[in-house]
Structures are given as C-alpha cells and as structure tokens.
C-alpha cells in the first residue's frame, strides 16, 4: 500500500487509516474477530490506526491493545478526547484538567507508553486555545504523545489555533480530521485549502457517508443502521421519508451507475474520490466485519480518471452537500447562545 507524509512531521503513514469506532459494543462486540480484522488490515499494509476514548467507552482502545501486542512499534497510533466519558461534567471537554486525565486513561487502555497522534475531538469555543495547547505541549514534552491534531474544527478555529501556537510557543496542530465524502463536499471550500496552507495532514472520516456510499441503500429498500453506534447517533439519516434522504438516494443511484460504467464498485468509487484529493493524506475506513474490510481495501490502488471526476461534479458539485443542514454551524449561532 502507498505511504504518504503525515503533513510536515516526517512520519510516513499508509494512504488508508484503519478507524476503530466499530470495534466493541458500538459495532462488533467480538474481541477475537475485531483483533483478526485489525491484523488483516496490518498485513495488507496499513500502519495507521485511529480511535477515540469515547468509542464504546474505552473498549475500542482495549481491543487495540490486544491486537497491537508485539506490533506496537510499527504502528502510527492515534486517539482522541473531548466527548463525555461519564455524567461528571469534568470528564469531557478541552480543559487541561481533563486532557491530562484523558491521555493517562488512554495510555492505560491502549497498554502503550506513548500515543503517536493525540487529537482534540471537537472544538469548544468556551475554552481558550492556549489552555488546551498548553496541556498538549506539556504532554509532548513529557514523552506521552508525539504529535497533536484536531477533528471537525471550523476554519476560524484552525487559524486561531495556529496563531496561538506561534505567538505562545506551543506545539502546533499537525492534522485535521473532517467529515468528507462525495455527498458532503463542504470542506473543499475552506478546510482543505487551509490545511494545505499550513502543511497539515487531512484524515477524513466517513468517506462512505455513514453507509450511504456502501451500496446498501436502494430505492424501495428501507434499510437502516445495523451498528449500535449508528442507531444511537444518526438513525434519522436513514429515514427514507425525509426529503434530504430522498436527495441522497437519488445521488447514490447516479453514483452507482457511474461506478458500474467505470468498472468499479460504489465503495471503490467513493474511497478513491476522497483518497485521491491532493489535500488528503488518508481517509479513515471503519469496518465492522472482515467482509467490510476486504471491500474497502479493494479501493487502495484505484485512481479515478478526469472524466469520472467530471461526472461526479455534475452529480454533487464541488464544495456542496446534498443536505446543507448537516454542515458545521458555530455554537455561538445556536439559539441558546444567541439568547446570552
């Protein structure tokens, strides 16, 4: 499998990143099968794995510890913190207090002495960048993490964080992990160009649009999410009575026809589209079964021709989303914030 630079860090990672959200209660509760899936990915040339403390409330990290025993030195291991880990209001967020605790907890669950890439899972406008970056800088200097990144940061927060790192002499975020797929191309407007400007690696999640680009959804079929994570988080995205899902379905039908004409599966078309963007380092694939993994690994060497890319642009124009309502909105524009 092709390897690519992780931004300007000097680290090389596989051009696909194995996402571990589906390992554990949220997806596949069979630890043995999950370990076999991870080993199959490593044997296929993947050396980059992404997880988070919140995935199955730490179970995903524990499964990775089992799978990476004896192979840890060869893996670029990434995890994240921010989302709630309990009802305690201090067991979440971007404060120094929680980040230090979250790193220690992840190190214990992962059974490792260091985390290669520690990411802030979401931006919080109520916390100063310097509060978060100060804690992360200390953890890098302590040797507990190597690099830092973030996920789903808006463009303004990315710029401010880079400025804070420069002016306060803090560690710099070197990666961004945004949602990006053919049905949701909004990050092409600002996030991807901004990442290129700052030399940041981009590790997109949801390249299959939470299953919409897997080939499972067809007109007249009322298929919904099968994993617990999808059922809890985004079940309404599969309600075929909703207008936005009807728009998704129409686009998926056109994309499926295009894939067939190009001699590809829909999964190969979708992953190749994200993987071959010049700003993208490695899309995150999130298999729940061995079959899922094999179907996604099949996209590793696929390169889309210009005419196929042009056809995709006619179905979903650059920089747009099938459902604009899913685009990021500043927390300060939410009704509760406007009332303050």
């Amino acid at each position: 499998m092709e390897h690519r630079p992780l931004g300007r860090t000097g680290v090389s990672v596989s051009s696909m990143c194995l996402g571990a959200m589906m390992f554990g209660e949220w997806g596949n509760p069979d630890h043995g099968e999950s370990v076999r899936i991870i080993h199959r990915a490593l044997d296929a040339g993947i050396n980059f794995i992404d997880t988070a403390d919140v995935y199955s409330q730490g179970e995903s990290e524990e499964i990775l510890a089992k799978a990476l025993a004896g192979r840890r030195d060869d893996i670029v291991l990434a995890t994240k913190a921010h989302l709630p880990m309990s009802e305690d209001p201090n067991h979440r967020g971007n404060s120094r207090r929680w980040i230090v605790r979250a790193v220690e907890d992840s190190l214990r669950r992962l059974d490792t002495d260091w985390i290669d890439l520690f990411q802030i899972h979401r931006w919080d406008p109520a916390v100063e960048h310097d509060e978060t970056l100060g804690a992360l800088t200390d953890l890098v200097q302590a040797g507990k993490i190597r690099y830092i990144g973030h996920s789903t940061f808006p463009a303004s927060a990315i710029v401010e964080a880079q400025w804070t790192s420069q002016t306060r002499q803090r560690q710099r975020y070197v990666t961004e992990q945004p949602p990006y797929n053919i049905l949701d191309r909004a990050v092409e407007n600002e996030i991807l160009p901004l990442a290129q400007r700052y030399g940041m690696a981009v590790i997109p999640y949801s390249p299959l649009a939470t299953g919409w680009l897997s080939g499972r959804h067809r007109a007249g079929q009322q298929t919904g999410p099968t994993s617990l994570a999808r059922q809890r988080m985004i079940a309404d995205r599969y309600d075929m009575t909703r207008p936005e899902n009807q728009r998704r379905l129409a686009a998926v039908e056109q994309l499926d026809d295009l894939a067939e004409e190009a001699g590809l599966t829909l999964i190969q078309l979708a992953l190749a589209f994200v993987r071959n963007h010049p700003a993208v380092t490695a899309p995150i694939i999130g298999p729940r079964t061995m079959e899922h993994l094999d179907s996604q690994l099949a996209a590793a060497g696929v390169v889309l021709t210009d005419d196929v890319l042009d056809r995709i642009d006619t179905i979903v124009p650059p920089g747009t989303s099938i459902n604009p309502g899913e685009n990021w909105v500043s927390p300060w524009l939410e009704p509760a914030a406007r009332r303050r």
Side-chain angles (χ1 to χ4, degrees):
M1 182 174 292
E2 177 192 0
H3 282 65
R4 297 173 173 177
L6 187 71
R8 296 173 183 162
T9 65
V11 175
S12 292
V13 296
S14 51
S15 60
M16 284 186 176
C17 176
L18 179 65
M21 189 175 81
M22 289 290 106
F23 302 141
E25 180 191 11
W26 284 13
N28 190 336
D30 186 329
H31 285 208
E33 184 181 1
S34 295
V35 167
R36 288 189 291 274
I37 293 169
I38 296 166
H39 286 172
R40 168 78 177 92
L42 301 185
D43 293 342
I46 288 180
N47 76 336
F48 191 16
I49 300 178
D50 174 79
T51 186
D53 56 0
V54 75
Y55 296 163
S56 297
Q57 297 301 111
E59 188 182 2
S60 170
E61 292 183 325
E62 292 169 352
I63 291 171
L64 283 174
K66 297 176 183 178
L68 298 182
R71 305 179 73 163
R72 173 66 183 92
D73 288 348
D74 299 325
I75 303 305
V76 178
L77 183 57
T79 191
K80 302 183 284 293
H82 168 87
L83 298 176
M85 288 296 285
S86 78
E87 295 299 319
D88 189 316
N90 286 318
H91 288 180
R92 67 193 71 184
N94 300 344
S95 70
R96 169 181 287 272
R97 185 179 192 274
W98 176 242
I99 287 171
V100 172
R101 165 75 180 275
V103 167
E104 296 290 355
D105 288 347
S106 286
L107 287 170
R108 172 179 48 80
R109 287 188 294 261
L110 289 165
D111 192 22
T112 186
D113 295 327
W114 80 98
I115 295 164
D116 294 291
L117 176 63
F118 188 78
Q119 302 157 99
I120 301 302
H121 213 151
R122 292 292 186 272
W123 176 58
D124 183 351
V127 179
E128 291 283 351
H129 284 292
D130 195 52
E131 164 84 4
T132 305
L133 286 166
L136 293 171
T137 298
D138 289 346
L139 288 162
V140 170
Q141 292 172 348
K144 296 184 178 182
I145 58 181
R146 299 288 189 259
Y147 303 100
I148 62 174
H150 46 58
S151 176
T152 324
F153 270 35
S156 59
I158 294 174
V159 173
E160 187 177 1
Q162 292 287 324
W163 179 85
T164 301
S165 294
Q166 181 178 1
T167 58
R168 300 301 299 272
Q169 297 184 329
R170 304 299 195 188
Q171 287 290 315
R172 186 179 72 89
Y173 291 120
V174 299
T175 63
E176 159 61 8
Q177 187 179 131
Y180 182 42
N181 55 71
I182 296 177
L183 301 181
D184 181 3
R185 303 179 60 176
V187 296
E188 293 174 347
N189 291 309
E190 291 185 305
I191 302 302
L192 298 188
L194 196 58
Q196 288 181 300
R197 173 168 184 156
Y198 285 116
M200 301 175 70
V202 177
I203 317 161
Y205 69 88
S206 198
L208 298 181
T210 63
W212 276 93
L213 296 173
S214 68
R216 291 181 58 241
H217 303 287
R218 291 291 182 272
Q221 297 178 356
Q222 297 297 317
T223 55
T226 56
S227 70
L228 183 59
R230 302 291 187 224
Q231 292 168 4
R232 287 178 174 175
M233 298 162 56
I234 50 177
D236 62 332
R237 293 188 187 179
Y238 302 91
D239 181 354
M240 297 301 177
T241 65
R242 297 169 68 95
E244 63 270 27
N245 289 337
Q246 289 292 321
R247 293 194 295 271
R248 281 196 190 94
L249 188 60
V252 168
E253 294 285 347
Q254 295 179 68
L255 291 167
D256 191 44
D257 290 342
L258 174 59
E260 185 175 359
E261 291 175 24
L264 302 171
T265 66
L266 182 57
I267 288 174
Q268 288 175 312
L269 180 79
L271 287 174
F273 172 82
V274 175
R275 182 176 172 271
N276 290 323
H277 191 287
V280 168
T281 302
I284 297 173
I285 59 173
R288 181 172 53 85
T289 67
M290 193 71 76
E291 180 183 6
H292 291 167
L293 175 64
D294 288 340
S295 67
Q296 294 165 22
L297 288 174
V302 174
V303 177
L304 303 181
T305 61
D306 288 344
D307 62 314
V308 170
L309 291 171
D310 289 344
R311 291 274 300 280
I312 290 173
D313 287 349
T314 65
I315 298 169
V316 182
T320 68
S321 295
I322 291 294
N323 181 24
E326 290 182 359
N327 291 350
W328 184 89
V329 177
S330 168
W332 297 115
L333 298 180
E334 297 294 339
R338 291 200 297 268
R339 289 195 293 270
R340 287 200 290 267

